[in-house]
Amino acid sequence: MMRGRSVPSFYREMSLEEKVTALVDSALEAYPELFSTDITVSSDNVIRVVLDGDKGVNIDDCIHISRAVEVPLDAEGYDFSLEVTSYGAAEPFRLERQFKKNAGREVELVTIGGIKHKGLLKGIAEGKVVLETETREPKAVGKGKVTVKKEHYFDVEEVKEAKVIIKF
């Protein structure tokens, strides 16, 4: 049973993964700057919830979501293990919202065709990922080369993987 509320009949008929997803989504309504990037439930009921946020994720955010999932499932008598974690800095983006969040950062983007591009992520415009790259090209007049910045646009569906380039 959910604390202080009657449980709708459709909730009782949900799989554990569907219940976890519903509980996470409900808890995130109070935190519009947070979003889940992945929710998995293994065959032995190991639940893993991965969170990201427009301004990052802190330990209190993870604790809030953990409790929002743990309390109702405990009350229903489920035997489970729960891990609520923040999205890793080196992990590839899974959602359009992560492209917006990481605008202004250096990224490596791989297209479905396997072509790698590195550059400055400008964000998303009209369903397209905008990436600014720099190349060295010969000068129009004289010897030598000049650095040229170019913007490239990729359909989100065309992007196989994109992740932040971490510099030390």
Side-chain angles (χ1 to χ4, degrees):
M1 291 289 253
M2 294 178 150
R3 190 183 326 154
R5 295 181 273 174
S6 62
V7 178
S9 61
F10 69 85
Y11 179 83
R12 285 185 221 111
E13 298 167 8
M14 292 177 159
S15 69
L16 179 57
E17 188 166 353
E18 290 169 328
K19 287 180 181 184
V20 171
T21 300
L23 292 166
V24 170
D25 289 346
S26 177
L28 288 174
E29 287 176 7
Y31 298 88
E33 70 282 359
L34 296 176
F35 51 97
S36 66
T37 60
D38 195 28
I39 298 173
T40 57
V41 179
S42 71
S43 60
D44 56 347
N45 290 350
V46 175
I47 301 167
R48 186 166 192 265
V49 178
V50 182
L51 301 175
D52 202 351
D54 298 325
K55 296 177 183 173
V57 177
N58 63 44
I59 190 72
D60 291 334
D61 298 329
C62 293
I63 290 169
H64 171 76
I65 301 304
S66 178
R67 287 183 182 152
V69 172
E70 184 177 0
V71 171
L73 294 181
D74 274 343
E76 288 186 61
Y78 279 101
D79 181 25
F80 64 93
S81 170
L82 175 63
E83 174 188 358
V84 178
T85 184
S86 62
Y87 200 76
E91 295 294 316
F93 306 158
R94 297 178 67 103
L95 305 170
E96 276 190 41
R97 192 166 174 179
Q98 291 174 297
F99 285 98
K100 294 175 187 173
K101 169 193 170 185
N102 287 289
R105 298 181 79 184
E106 291 289 322
V107 299
E108 179 179 88
L109 181 144
V110 181
T111 63
I112 298 268
I115 300 171
K116 287 184 182 181
H117 303 269
K118 290 183 181 180
L120 181 69
L121 179 62
K122 301 294 261 185
I124 290 203
E126 299 176 19
K128 295 190 181 286
V129 176
V130 182
L131 186 70
E132 180 182 271
T133 61
E134 290 184 358
T135 58
R136 299 283 292 160
E137 295 182 0
K139 289 183 179 178
V141 177
K143 294 182 179 182
K145 294 187 176 186
V146 63
T147 300
V148 177
K149 292 183 179 185
K150 295 182 180 180
E151 283 192 354
H152 305 272
Y153 297 85
F154 302 91
D155 288 325
V156 174
E157 300 81 33
E158 185 183 349
V159 178
K160 178 179 179 182
E161 181 178 276
K163 58 184 172 181
V164 173
I165 296 172
I166 308 228
K167 296 180 182 177
F168 294 97

